[in-house]
Amino acid sequence: MAADRTSAVTPSDLVGCRFRYPQRRAHPEIEPLDSDKARRARLHLARAEVLALLPVRPALGDGRRRAFSRIDLDADAEDADLATLEALAAEPTILTGAVLTGRDNGTDWRVRMDALIRTGEGTYRPVLVSNHRVARPHETRTTPMIPTHRLGLGKPVEAGYRLRHHVSDSHRLAMAARALVRMELADAKGALIGQDRRRAFVVDTRALQPALDDTLAAGWSTRPRRLKECAGCRFWDLCRPLLEEADDISLVLPGDRARTFRERGIETVGALIDARLGEPSALAAAWRAGVPVLRRTEHVMGPRADVEIDVDMEAYLDQGAYLWGAFDGEDYHGFVTWSEVGGAAEAENFAKFWDWLMQRRAQAHRAHQSFAAYCYSAHGENHWLRASARRFAGRYKGVPSLAEVEEFIASDEWVDVFSWVRRQLVGTAGIGLKVVAPQAGYHWSDDDVDGEESVNARRIAVAGGAEGERARAELLRYNADDTRATARVRHWLREGAQNVPVLSVPGSAGPAGR
């Protein structure tokens, strides 16, 4: 019997929160959030790109007698699983929009598979479209790959890539492969198509089955626990009162951060405060008092230079960096391209930013002034500085070599403000820029814009038109605010962050305990 689509477990139910699925079953009336809908819209576009690339007939050179057929299904149709079984009976070369079902440990599950590709042995390989970067170029490792337009027609070749693991993608492929095994139609392989829609990377679906078994056997939670993802969950307004009523420790220490305390029998915020366990107890007391940030030390310091530039970068998924913003203390400078990333437009934009930054640096040196460029949490900026050099150096004028980028990153003139904050401050909700900057007196022009929303805005901005112009202005404001917020945090640290209490164990004579 086909699994009921409203109650069947989906791959997304198996990732992260173990209370989301019970909430989804209990409250089907609660609509997905706008961020969820936008994420689905991006995936819909990705699937459309891949469908347009998949073959519809043999190509020249494949031979006229080669049998080929393609069936396209509507995976959102009510009876999509039954339509999939009927379509498989016709033995198509390519079947898109397939929905497969199964049952394990008393749990019905349902998975959408973007394509099923028939092999020469009459079995099928599941093909999954993802908005993740599923593989990265690699100098020594290889992975079997087949061009998307040759699926069903060609054979894989070894390509210089290394696969990247994403749990949600793995569970989807594993489910599809399991359903095909039970129909005696399974090949041992599957394929992943990520942000590079032109390439399908072959994976061994057998290796994915143990993790799926463990996840399906884990069962579901009977009560919520706060995770990082809760802030973007449609059921948070239902879960939060339950957590507050229970005074659950995850309100202060989300996810696995509370594990060691739970093992000691500490389940509530109050118990953590009473345990007097140093910083965790101080954080719990601060949370209870509504204090978001504490000083680890009496005296707080910040970095300083004669010439200071604050930098922030915006990237579209894992495809490329389209905006490099810089604030020089007076003016914001946005280096941006609204063209597709990955080619000349991105390279030329990066070269302009790099040239401007290096000119400001050289001017400072000529004037015998110290220079520093700052960012808040350098991981993203460092990644795209390096990635831009790797992809574009030598191909486009003005792009620095990887060696030049590495030299700059390693220098004292590239400063991660987050590292200064982390050494000196601690927060009840983390110490990200959006948490710390308001304590320093800075507030964003658009309070509802974050990293997720910026991805959606970028997609609209590229499309152009009136909405595109509004999205472009929003992205530039958002980036400018990030650079100015970083600058404000620096100055605030130099001023000693005096409005922030000093961390102390609850009940002690320290400032936080008064």
Side-chain angles (χ1 to χ4, degrees):
M1 180 180 295
D4 177 19
R5 64 185 302 162
T6 61
S7 62
V9 170
T10 66
S12 62
D13 293 321
L14 300 176
V15 179
C17 177
R18 305 299 292 182
F19 194 60
R20 185 173 57 241
Y21 170 66
Q23 289 284 56
R24 181 169 70 81
R25 289 200 63 182
H27 300 282
E29 75 282 0
I30 297 181
E31 290 284 326
L33 301 178
D34 289 344
S35 57
D36 296 322
K37 294 176 182 178
R39 201 175 297 115
R40 292 179 186 178
R42 294 198 301 270
L43 185 55
H44 177 77
L45 289 175
R47 286 168 171 156
E49 288 181 50
V50 171
L51 285 177
L53 291 173
L54 289 173
V56 295
R57 65 181 66 86
L60 291 175
D62 286 328
R64 293 183 178 180
R65 295 184 178 180
R66 181 167 187 165
F68 183 94
S69 62
R70 172 173 161 174
I71 298 176
D72 297 310
L73 299 178
D74 178 6
D76 295 320
E78 189 68 33
D79 60 349
D81 50 348
L82 298 178
T84 297
L85 297 177
E86 292 178 4
L88 285 171
E91 301 182 348
T93 310
I94 297 178
L95 173 61
T96 70
V99 173
L100 301 166
T101 61
R103 184 178 177 84
D104 287 278
N105 300 319
T107 298
D108 291 322
W109 49 261
R110 181 184 181 95
V111 60
R112 170 179 180 153
M113 196 48 46
D114 299 301
L116 301 175
I117 307 297
R118 187 173 173 86
T119 69
E121 291 72 35
T123 56
Y124 281 89
R125 289 184 176 180
V127 177
L128 171 66
V129 177
S130 171
N131 266 333
H132 294 129
R133 176 75 73 180
V134 302
R136 283 195 179 279
H138 201 274
E139 294 182 0
T140 59
R141 297 281 294 273
T142 64
T143 297
M145 182 275 296
I146 183 169
T148 303
H149 74 278
R150 294 295 295 165
L151 283 168
L153 298 173
K155 294 184 179 299
V157 297
E158 291 294 324
Y161 287 84
R162 182 176 184 176
L163 287 175
R164 298 186 68 195
H165 176 70
H166 299 278
V167 175
S168 57
D169 294 344
S170 297
H171 284 341
R172 287 178 65 192
L173 270 183
M175 280 181 166
R178 182 168 298 191
L180 291 169
V181 165
R182 292 170 182 172
M183 289 188 282
E184 299 184 351
L185 289 175
D187 184 76
K189 306 294 184 182
L192 281 166
I193 300 173
Q195 293 180 20
D196 184 348
R197 315 300 182 204
R198 302 165 299 167
R199 295 178 171 89
F201 294 93
V202 179
V203 299
D204 186 344
T205 59
R206 295 170 298 187
L208 308 177
Q209 297 302 325
L212 177 60
D213 283 331
D214 292 343
T215 306
L216 287 170
W220 310 102
S221 296
T222 58
R223 61 177 183 174
R225 286 185 178 175
R226 190 170 78 88
L227 305 173
K228 273 189 169 183
E229 65 200 67
C230 288
C233 177
R234 56 177 152 160
F235 302 115
W236 175 235
D237 287 341
L238 296 177
C239 294
R240 178 171 52 193
L242 298 175
L243 289 165
E244 291 173 347
E245 181 182 1
D247 195 34
D248 194 273
I249 191 174
S250 66
L251 288 166
V252 174
L253 299 174
D256 288 340
R257 292 176 58 196
R259 178 180 298 175
T260 58
F261 299 102
R262 291 186 190 277
E263 291 172 350
R264 298 174 60 172
I266 300 173
E267 296 278 352
T268 67
V269 176
L272 180 57
I273 295 172
D274 294 340
R276 297 174 60 86
L277 295 174
E279 184 173 298
S281 295
L283 278 175
W287 178 84
R288 178 81 82 212
V291 177
V293 178
L294 297 171
R295 282 183 279 160
R296 293 183 187 273
T297 178
E298 185 72 38
H299 301 289
V300 172
M301 299 180 295
R304 187 187 300 271
D306 296 327
V307 176
E308 298 181 315
I309 306 291
D310 293 278
V311 174
D312 186 72
M313 170 278 311
E314 304 294 338
Y316 183 69
L317 301 175
D318 201 19
Q319 295 180 10
Y322 65 90
L323 172 55
W324 293 88
F327 177 60
D328 63 10
E330 294 183 0
D331 299 311
Y332 166 75
H333 306 266
F335 299 86
V336 64
T337 174
W338 303 117
S339 300
E340 294 295 336
V341 292
E346 182 189 353
E348 291 166 3
N349 185 63
F350 174 65
K352 290 177 183 177
F353 161 73
W354 181 264
D355 179 66
W356 179 88
L357 187 65
M358 292 301 103
Q359 282 195 38
R360 296 298 295 263
R361 183 192 194 194
Q363 289 170 5
H365 290 174
R366 287 194 297 269
H368 304 289
Q369 294 176 308
S370 59
F371 172 89
Y374 304 96
C375 66
Y376 200 92
S377 188
H379 176 76
E381 278 74 14
N382 287 351
H383 169 75
W384 285 111
L385 285 169
R386 292 180 174 119
S388 299
R390 288 192 188 101
R391 291 181 300 154
F392 302 133
R395 296 174 53 208
Y396 297 95
K397 183 179 179 181
V399 175
S401 67
L402 181 58
E404 290 177 89
V405 166
E406 292 287 6
E407 180 182 5
F408 176 67
I409 289 174
S411 75
D412 293 336
E413 295 180 319
W414 180 235
V415 181
D416 187 348
V417 177
F418 176 75
S419 67
W420 284 75
V421 171
R422 182 173 54 191
R423 288 194 301 270
Q424 302 178 94
L425 305 178
V426 62
T428 58
I431 48 173
L433 186 60
K434 285 289 184 75
V435 173
V436 176
Q439 303 307 306
Y442 191 87
H443 300 278
W444 275 253
S445 304
D446 302 295
D447 291 334
D448 57 343
V449 179
D450 56 16
E452 175 75 21
E453 179 58 31
S454 72
V455 173
N456 302 329
R458 161 68 183 180
R459 183 168 57 84
I460 298 169
V462 170
E467 286 193 16
E469 289 299 324
R470 283 193 292 271
R472 293 178 182 187
E474 179 183 81
L475 285 167
L476 288 168
R477 279 198 311 273
Y478 173 60
N479 183 258
D481 274 334
D482 280 354
T483 62
R484 291 189 172 99
T486 302
R488 180 61 200 131
V489 169
R490 289 192 293 101
H491 291 288
W492 178 65
L493 292 176
R494 294 204 292 249
E495 294 161 1
Q498 291 298 313
N499 60 320
V500 172
V502 177
L503 180 150
S504 66
V505 177
S508 72
R514 292 174 185 167

